[in-house]
Amino acid sequence: MEVKIGVQHAQRELVLDTDSTPEDIEKRLGEALATDGVLHLRDTKGRAVVVPAAKIAYVELGSPTASTVGFR
């Protein structure tokens, strides 16, 4: 699934593909916001993304990623 995270005072959003479910990401986001902690996610390649909850402007959850071949 593609996840886009907008960070305050940053011109570009963070974009990552993850195997997590939307429910899991929403739960982690809620916990991070409630404790003023950090949102910690891993992408499909094993890289970690850590964002302070206080700096998150928005989180956009996309549809599951699927490899496409050709033009649409």
Side-chain angles (χ1 to χ4, degrees), residues 2-69:
E2 182 179 77
V3 178
K4 295 180 182 178
I5 303 171
V7 181
Q8 295 176 12
H9 309 294
Q11 293 179 343
R12 296 177 60 190
E13 60 194 8
L14 298 172
V15 180
L16 66 137
D17 288 321
T18 182
D19 293 328
S20 298
T21 64
E23 294 80 15
D24 181 46
I25 294 173
E26 289 176 17
K27 179 183 172 193
R28 291 180 188 200
L29 178 61
E31 291 170 354
L33 291 171
T35 61
D36 200 27
V38 295
L39 176 62
H40 184 273
L41 299 174
R42 288 207 176 270
D43 70 2
T44 55
K45 296 180 181 179
R47 294 179 284 197
V49 175
V50 181
V51 182
K55 298 297 180 182
I56 296 174
Y58 64 90
V59 175
E60 182 179 319
L61 304 176
S63 60
T65 56
S67 299
T68 57
V69 177

